[in-house]
């Protein structure tokens, strides 16, 4: 069921940018675009060209800048005027892609669109047909059924809706979890059923949001039921709680043996730069890019780390820091949660070797100091000084 190739389509410049307190300038968008090219993502959605003149100019500029072979998408609603405007912007890419979105869930049809299901089918068919008529036979058209993740109640209808898009000329069917409401496997099973229904008539893509914190897990599992494209964003940017995180997705797929074209060493510097450009800090415990994710403070973990620190697979490490372009390394530090092995490891780093019984004495002293001083960390330098003072007293 798993596709032979998995494509990573980035939506930072559209979905990520539209959710920022201060959307990026053209110069900033160019910088983000270049970062994505350096990361070697498979495709980039550059914006929503018909929404305003600023977006149009930015989308056109980035389309012209795109390298040969990279799909460059522009988003449009199912409206002929907007579709035409979108094409005017992205047609300058060497490999343009038209992306049309329209709601398909029962809730959205009844409470937002307030039209019949047949009218929805007609709207999808007409908009995709019009897009095909102006982009020609070779250009890819992606159709997104907005709120697909909410379409449990009218799932039979959503099949008809996507089939209408395919018959009108869509090459890619994108299944969005526009608002994450349910556990991952509910959405994954919906994707599987849709993939089984579509078969080889169209590629299947997924676009998940992170309202419950499970977007990445959901997207990764969708690969294993047939999704060929995963839509992601740098630093997990996007509306509300954000989109599927690019870094977590590609590392998870890599760890499971998938061959991606991503330049993994560009991950950390890219994440840091995006944090600077958005003013949104990276949490110290954020997977892949957090400052504290290679730190070890509990005694049991420290023993395993010390024994495997030079191996490609660490006892408590998924990947090496340098794999994602980090300059740091695994660290062991001493708190009142640490063990004897931490002291031995930290001293040996400084070339200091003392007998086991003295390690035990030093451990008790350091732990007492930490506990008396509000459980603070005892630094490596302090441990060296304590070891020196013990040696002198002997």
């Amino acid at each position: 069921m798993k596709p032979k190739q998995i494509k990573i389509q980035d939506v930072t410049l559209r979905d990520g940018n539209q959710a920022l307190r201060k959307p990026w300038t053209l110069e900033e968008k160019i910088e983000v675009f270049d970062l994505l090219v350096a990361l070697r993502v498979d495709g980039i959605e550059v914006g929503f060209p018909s929404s305003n003149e600023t977006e149009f100019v930015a989308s056109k500029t980035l389309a012209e800048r795109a390298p040969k072979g990279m799909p460059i998408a522009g988003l449009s609603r199912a409206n002929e005027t907007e579709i035409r405007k979108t094409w005017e912007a992205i047609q300058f890419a060497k490999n343009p892609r038209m992306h049309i979105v329209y709601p398909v869930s029962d809730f959205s049809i009844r409470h937002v669109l307030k039209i019949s299901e047949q009218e929805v089918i007609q709207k999808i068919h007409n908009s995709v047909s019009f897009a095909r008529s102006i982009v020609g036979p070779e250009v890819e058209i992606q159709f997104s059924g907005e709120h697909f993740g909410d379409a449990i109640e009218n799932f039979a209808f959503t099949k008809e809706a996507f089939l209408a898009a395919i018959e009108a000329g869509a090459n890619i069917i994108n299944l969005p979890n526009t608002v994450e409401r349910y556990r991952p496997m509910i959405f994954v099973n919906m994707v599987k059923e849709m993939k089984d229904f579509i078969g080889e008539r169209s590629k299947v893509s997924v676009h998940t949001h992170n309202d419950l914190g499970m977007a990445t897990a959901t997207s990764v599992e969708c690969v294993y039921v047939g999704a060929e494209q995963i839509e992601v964003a740098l630093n997990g940017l996007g509306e509300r709680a954000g989109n599927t995180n690019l870094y977590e997705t590609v590392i998870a797929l890599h760890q499971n043996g998938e061959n991606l074209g991503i330049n993994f060493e560009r991950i950390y510097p890219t994440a840091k730069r995006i944090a600077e450009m958005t003013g949104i800090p990276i949490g110290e415990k954020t997977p892949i890019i957090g400052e504290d994710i290679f730190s070890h403070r509990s005694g049991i973990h420290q023993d395993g780390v010390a024994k495997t620190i030079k191996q490609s697979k660490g006892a408590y490490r998924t990947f090496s820091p340098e794999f994602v372009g980090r300059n740091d390394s695994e660290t062991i530090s001493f708190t009142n949660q640490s063990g004897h092995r931490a002291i031995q490891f930290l001293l040996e780093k400084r070339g200091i070797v003392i007998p086991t019984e003295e390690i035990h004495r030093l451990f008790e002293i350091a732990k007492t100091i930490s506990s008396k001083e509000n459980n603070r960390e005892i630094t490596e330098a302090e441990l060296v000084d304590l070891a020196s003072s013990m040696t002198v007293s002997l």
Side-chain angles (χ1 to χ4, degrees), residues 191-328:
V191 171
K192 182 181 185 304
E193 186 170 344
M194 190 60 70
K195 174 62 181 176
D196 291 343
F197 172 72
I198 290 171
E200 300 302 315
R201 289 179 286 193
S202 171
K203 296 176 184 176
V204 170
S205 169
V206 294
H207 174 111
T208 68
H209 280 263
N210 202 38
D211 299 88
L212 301 179
M214 300 183 291
T216 296
T218 301
S219 292
V220 168
E221 287 306 311
C222 284
V223 166
Y224 297 94
V225 295
E228 298 160 85
Q229 175 178 283
I230 307 297
E231 297 203 344
V232 299
L234 298 172
N235 293 38
L237 296 175
E239 296 284 3
R240 306 178 310 281
N243 287 293
T244 301
N245 186 294
L246 183 151
Y247 319 124
E248 296 169 15
T249 301
V250 299
I251 292 291
L253 289 170
H254 171 79
Q255 286 296 126
N256 283 279
E258 308 305 337
N259 185 23
L260 306 176
I262 295 294
N263 182 354
F264 290 96
E265 291 183 359
R266 291 295 308 159
I267 284 178
Y268 187 65
T270 300
K272 296 287 283 186
R273 181 59 187 141
I274 293 298
E276 292 170 359
M277 294 179 71
T278 59
I280 301 172
I282 297 170
E284 66 175 25
K285 295 293 187 182
T286 299
I288 319 297
I289 56 176
E291 292 302 314
D292 207 42
I293 67 165
F294 292 108
S295 299
H296 308 279
R297 299 185 180 89
S298 95
I300 294 172
H301 286 213
Q302 290 169 336
D303 181 62
V305 169
K307 291 173 179 174
T308 62
I309 198 164
K310 294 182 179 180
Q311 297 181 21
S312 58
K313 179 178 181 179
Y316 296 96
R317 167 174 45 80
T318 301
F319 56 92
S320 63
E322 59 270 18
F323 181 69
V324 293
R326 299 178 65 136
N327 295 320
D328 52 352

Side-chain angles (χ1 to χ4, degrees), residues 145 148 162 173-177 187 190-191 194 204-208:
F148 170 77
F162 285 116
I173 292 303
N174 190 43
L175 308 176
N177 208 8
F187 184 82
M190 291 172 70
V191 171
M194 190 60 70
V204 170
S205 169
V206 294
H207 174 111
T208 68

